[in-house]
Amino acid sequence: GWIANWLGALDFAGGTAIHINAGISALALALVLKPRIGFGSKPMRPHNMTLVMLGAGLLWFGWFGFNAGSAVAANGTAAVAWVNTMAATGAAALGWLLTERIRNGHATSLGAASGIVSGLVAVTPACSSLNPVGSIVLGLVAGVLCALAVGLKYRFGYDDSLDAFGVHGVGGIWGTIATGLFAEKAVNAAGADGLFFGNPGQLLTQILLVIITPICAAGLTWII
């Protein structure tokens, strides 16, 4: 739509339309519905970590089709998206685990699964435009940011039961902004260069994107 065609924003596989939209909408819904009984005072952990880890693996595998498939062809762009999806996701899992280790004294399997999802989310808008090194940096930062963001629900009292805002919202926002930092036309001639490759205007466009989308998503979800 106009965000891509008029603003010239980069969002290859739906970081804005899917992840920022979903994360911010979930936050609005959680604020409207109020917390569950016992939230903040009773542990509400996943009941089956085997299924959690199985789901994370299936999701990671499926995401190759999600991101690389957005090229709608078996070509170089699809290959770049595939490699970047792998690199960023692995880095994000390590970033989340490192954050848990420093903050809590130990890393967890749930943290690994959550880090995987945060990396998949963050690389989605950027996967066709980055080189693998940029994807690793993007993923590492995503893992740290999202691990910190999921704790905000206890500080501010909103009951985001599956951390849709902490992972999808924050991960999508960071991935969209990071696209404006690391994008290279040398990787994808149909895209644009980012700040680190001489085009600060693209970063400003991506920042504008993460302002417009949350306002629309939160406002309309609240009304609905």
Side-chain angles (χ1 to χ4, degrees), residues 28-213:
L29 186 60
L31 292 174
V32 169
L33 293 179
K34 310 299 182 187
R36 291 166 291 175
I37 296 172
F39 173 75
S41 60
K42 296 180 181 179
M44 297 179 176
R45 299 187 180 92
H47 74 283
N48 192 322
M49 279 305 304
T50 302
L51 291 181
V52 169
M53 298 308 293
L54 176 62
L58 290 170
L59 195 66
W60 193 344
F61 179 75
W63 220 283
F64 292 128
F66 184 74
N67 280 357
S70 292
V72 200
N75 56 18
T77 301
V80 167
W82 196 102
V83 171
N84 286 336
T85 299
M86 185 70 188
T89 304
L94 292 176
W96 192 299
L97 291 172
L98 181 62
T99 303
E100 282 190 328
R101 182 70 174 84
I102 294 172
R103 181 182 59 192
N104 305 328
H106 63 278
T108 67
S109 297
L110 179 61
S114 301
I116 286 169
V117 179
S118 70
L120 293 169
V121 167
V123 77
T124 293
C127 59
S128 71
S129 303
L130 275 58
N131 65 51
V133 174
S135 292
I136 290 171
V137 175
L138 179 150
L140 190 64
V141 174
V144 173
L145 288 179
C146 293
L148 296 175
V150 296
L152 294 176
K153 64 183 180 182
Y154 299 110
R155 177 172 297 182
F156 295 105
Y158 60 88
D159 185 6
D160 182 5
S161 60
L162 294 180
D163 297 314
F165 172 70
V167 176
H168 291 272
V170 172
I173 288 170
W174 162 242
T176 300
I177 293 174
T179 305
L181 296 173
F182 300 110
E184 292 183 68
K185 290 196 74 172
V187 174
N188 184 356
D193 287 323
L195 176 66
F196 296 152
F197 297 91
N199 183 16
Q202 190 62 46
L203 176 60
L204 295 176
T205 299
Q206 300 299 115
I207 291 173
L208 184 59
L209 186 57
V210 303
I211 294 173
I212 295 170
T213 308

